[in-house]
Amino acid sequence: MTTARRPGRAGPVDGGRVPGPPPRPAPAAAPGTDGRLARELLDGLAEAVVTTDPAGVVTLVNAMAADLLPEVAAGAELALCPVPALGRAVRAGVDAFDTQHHGRRLRGTRRRLAGGGDAWYVRDVTEEQARTDALLAERSRTAFLAQAGSRLGVSLHREQTLRTAVTLPVPYLADAALVVHLPPSPPDDGPHWIRYADGDPAPASGTGSGQLPGGVPGLAEALDGEVSEPSPWLDAELADLAALLPATFGRPGAVLVSPMTGAGGPAGALVLLRRVDRAGFDAREIELAREFAARAGAALATADLYGEQTHLARVLQHSLLPPELPTVPGLALAGGYRAAGDSLRIGGDFYDVFRTEGGAMIALGDVCGKGVGAAVLTGRVRQSLQTLRLVEQRPLALMELLNRALFDTPDAARRSQFTTLLLGTVTRGPGEDTRVRIAGGGHPDPLVLRPDGTVTAVRVGGMPIGALTTARFAEAEFVLAPGELLVAYTDGVTEARGGPRDGEMFGEARLRQALASSAGLPPAAVVDRLLQLVDEWLDGQSHDDIAMLALRAAPR
């Protein structure tokens, strides 16, 4: 049987496989095509390329290299090229350099070539470096302002604020800083100044002459709240300012004067000075100095306001604090006081002792509320008592006059405060006894401690003062025997909450027990002991105002 064969190319058959077509030859390149293409690729790069042979002779300079490094030419020895940083890198055998050249920032790296030569790749990083520098400058500016805000924000005292304002800019913004300011109550001897220079151990301060603002260009305008441009140091114009600088500072270069303005107007002027070898102030630094000066001015104005308020509070506090008890012949007196607030030692509880012809008049009261509002009414009650006792010394009649006087004040109709009060007279009799007459206005009854430790209450009663125009008051009269102690207190003692259950009131029973255990002690020791026991009971918890008054008749 004959096998038919398909038509096709005849040829040898190996194992039944038909061989494929032979490979096609590669097309021939035109002479010089690879060189021109490589050159075009190199010239199109955004970085400079310089190649050298094994001997260090330049073999290739692309278009960007010719632009950035015009001093480098083919055929020259690269180690001796007029670009100092590149020549040093080649001679030292290092693989990178970073330099300023023709006003541009260049950064180069070296790669070894297969034939033994080198290729230097140089990039223009001017814009990149400018962006980095701008970012770093902004971060530095933000950090400086954050530090300034933090330190100026917690500075509530004038001297501390001035020290912060003059030390923070050095050396970041200037080599020396000067703050010229007028105190809250300007003296007749001219403006004050505080100065700090780089290297000084601490700021120095003093008083300038009246001609100082006019002797420094821009200073008078800054003290009036106006801004001025920085200026170079001129000996003729800045002679007054030179006297305020350290002797070792030398001749300044640039001066920048900025107003320190607050909410109420200019608070001073900030003068920044740089040495001759330091560059002048650029636009960004001027803006930063202006902003810092404004913040320092606001902080200084706040410190001045705080100082005024502190002084006012101190004066009011001094007038509202319980007085120093007078010396009364035949009587031993002691008082104790605890204000509810932590910031001001004034509140709504008070006591007073006035000397009289036959002994003394005593008063102990508790104004409804606490804090400044209660302290204001406390002052009104005490001042009214000071005046009314000159015309009336009978306790019950005096209390009625006081109640009427409180309702005669202009704001009585819109006031909802009232006062509990004990008002009494202490008179030494011809014998050993001391006669006490006490009028009550809704106040806790006073206690009498006898020498044997017995504690009894003097029932008084009555209605609070300032609550009703028709209020009725009560009066009690008794004899205080030798050795007996009269103790009057406010409800801040019995209503103090604390103890083991952290909320239980101290109570009258506990007060009586503590008083009984104090028999035989002098009045001052008794008051101190009672206040100590209440403090221990409170254990740091908040409390109402507390006042206490104790008296004992001395034996004849």
Side-chain angles (χ1 to χ4, degrees), residues 9 12 17-24:
R9 182 188 307 173
R17 293 174 54 194
V18 179
R24 300 175 62 183

Side-chain angles (χ1 to χ4, degrees), residues 124-218:
D124 184 353
V125 295
T126 306
E127 285 72 18
E128 177 185 339
Q129 189 65 38
R131 289 192 295 269
T132 302
D133 292 343
L135 178 60
L136 294 177
E138 187 61 30
R139 287 181 178 176
S140 177
R141 167 194 172 95
T142 302
F144 173 75
L145 290 178
Q147 183 186 18
S150 175
R151 291 184 57 181
L152 290 172
V154 299
S155 177
L156 289 177
H157 297 281
R158 182 179 179 84
E159 294 304 319
Q160 181 184 357
T161 304
L162 288 170
R163 291 173 66 91
T164 301
V166 81
T167 54
L168 269 181
V170 179
Y172 182 72
L173 282 175
D175 298 310
L178 180 75
V179 171
V180 180
H181 61 99
L182 298 175
S185 299
D188 297 332
D189 52 357
H192 289 204
W193 57 267
I194 181 171
R195 178 207 70 215
Y196 181 73
D198 191 16
D200 285 353
S205 59
T207 303
S209 64
Q211 291 74 32
L212 176 61
V216 179

Side-chain angles (χ1 to χ4, degrees), residues 77-131:
E77 188 175 350
L78 190 59
L80 303 177
C81 74
V83 183
L86 177 57
R88 286 194 299 269
V90 174
R91 293 192 297 272
V94 297
D95 293 332
F97 71 89
D98 196 328
T99 187
Q100 290 280 351
H101 190 62
H102 295 311
R104 310 297 292 178
R105 184 70 175 267
L106 304 181
R107 189 170 296 158
T109 57
R110 174 166 56 181
R111 296 289 182 270
R112 301 293 182 179
L113 299 179
D118 296 325
W120 283 93
Y121 299 89
V122 181
R123 291 191 304 118
D124 184 353
V125 295
T126 306
E127 285 72 18
E128 177 185 339
Q129 189 65 38
R131 289 192 295 269

